[in-house]
């Protein structure tokens, strides 16, 4: 169980987040959305333990955290192949080879095992970063705008493969995204933050089956969720016109 209890964050005199109280259940996937500068990435960094809250308390699992960063190419080691990235993350296990092969297969990376980061497209680099994080078998999986640099079709592919992994290896997952459609495709719940200082202003549930969710884009069930979330996000736009 993840628990934010009255969490606020300041950078000097500037308050970025204010009064965040939120629970995330084991195995749940939660997306964080909101305008630029509202503290989405800061919230994720505090959850990872990279930064401490100014006020309030955060409770999270003690096991290692899997983190996929925004600048994925910069987070990969240029001297390691795709396969080495994954197997390094599970070093020490007696079945390292088998576990590595399983993860590479689930994410469609098997035929790119011997490629280095500079030889990968944006989508393949993102899948490699995800594979490395998954290989650690974290109890908590964090993704900071994981699809920002991908084209629409590649992002759909990565979403589907990520959901396949999460179906076989359940992890409590929190992601930050600017794209409403991606939030609906991945998350069980969408948490919407206000402009800075970020406060929780809405929570939208996505009662759709996880696997094959991309096939529901454009259907009435998908559109109901989209309209509900969009109304909250549209409010920020109207407030700044």
């Amino acid at each position: 169980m993840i628990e934010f209890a009255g969490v606020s964050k300041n950078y000097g005199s500037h308050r970025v987040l204010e009064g965040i109280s939120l629970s995330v259940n084991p195995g749940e996937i939660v997306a964080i959305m909101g305008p630029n500068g509202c503290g989405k990435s800061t919230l994720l960094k505090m959850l990872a333990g990279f930064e401490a809250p100014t006020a309030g308390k955060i409770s999270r699992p003690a096991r290692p955290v899997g983190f996929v960063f925004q600048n994925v190419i910069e987070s990969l080691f240029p001297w390691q192949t795709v396969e080495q990235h994954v197997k390094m993350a599970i070093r020490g296990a007696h079945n390292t080879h088998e576990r590595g092969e399983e993860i590479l297969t689930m994410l469609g990376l098997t035929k790119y095992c011997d490629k280095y980061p500079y030889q990968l497209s944006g989508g393949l680099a993102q899948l490699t970063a995800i594979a490395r994080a998954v290989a650690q078998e974290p109890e908590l999986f964090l993704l900071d705008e994981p699809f920002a640099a991908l084209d629409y079709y590649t992002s759909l592919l990565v979403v589907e493969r990520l959901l396949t992994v999460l179906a076989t290896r359940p992890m409590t997952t929190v992601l930050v995204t600017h794209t409403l459609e991606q939030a609906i495709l991945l998350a069980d719940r969408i948490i919407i933050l206000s402009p800075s200082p970020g406060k929780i202003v809405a929570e939208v549930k996505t009662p759709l089956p996880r696997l094959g969710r991309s096939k529901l884009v454009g259907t009435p069930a998908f559109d109901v969720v989209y309209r509900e979330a969009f109304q909250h996000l549209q409010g920020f736009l109207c407030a700044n016109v």
Side-chain angles (χ1 to χ4, degrees), residues 4 6-20 37-47 49-58 196-198:
F4 287 82
V7 170
S8 297
K9 177 66 177 179
N10 292 1
Y11 290 115
S13 61
H14 177 57
R15 174 149 289 192
V16 179
L17 289 163
E18 184 171 344
I20 300 295
C38 72
K40 300 183 298 296
S41 293
T42 299
L43 187 150
L44 215 61
K45 290 173 184 175
M46 289 193 295
L47 186 52
F50 298 156
E51 297 188 15
T54 303
K57 182 179 179 181
I58 301 173
S196 182

Side-chain angles (χ1 to χ4, degrees), residues 82-205:
V82 170
E83 184 176 30
Q84 288 169 338
H85 273 91
V86 174
K87 293 186 176 178
M88 178 195 71
I90 54 179
R91 185 179 298 164
H94 70 279
N95 58 342
T96 298
H97 179 76
E98 290 79 6
R99 283 172 56 191
E101 290 298 314
E102 180 186 4
I103 293 168
L104 291 167
T105 299
M106 282 192 294
L107 288 169
L109 290 170
T110 304
K111 64 181 179 180
Y112 305 101
C113 283
D114 61 346
K115 302 297 183 183
Y116 290 89
Y118 76 91
Q119 297 174 304
L120 302 175
S121 66
L124 291 172
Q126 192 66 268
L127 286 168
T128 300
I130 290 171
R132 178 177 62 181
V134 169
Q136 301 172 47
E137 296 192 341
E139 193 170 338
L140 176 58
F141 190 29
L142 307 177
L143 303 99
D144 192 1
E145 297 188 39
F147 315 113
L150 304 181
D151 64 69
Y152 179 76
Y153 299 101
T154 303
S155 68
L156 287 180
L157 173 66
V158 175
V159 164
E160 285 296 332
R161 290 182 178 174
L162 178 56
L163 286 171
T164 298
V165 170
L166 292 174
T168 58
R169 296 168 177 262
M171 293 174 279
T172 305
T173 302
V174 181
L175 69 136
V176 165
T177 179
H178 281 290
T179 306
L180 178 53
E181 185 175 286
Q182 290 171 355
I184 298 171
L185 287 173
L186 265 172
D188 302 314
R189 280 190 295 154
I190 302 169
I191 304 299
I192 299 175
L193 302 182
S194 69
S196 182
K199 304 175 184 178
I200 295 177
V201 294
E203 174 186 310
V204 179
K205 295 183 179 180

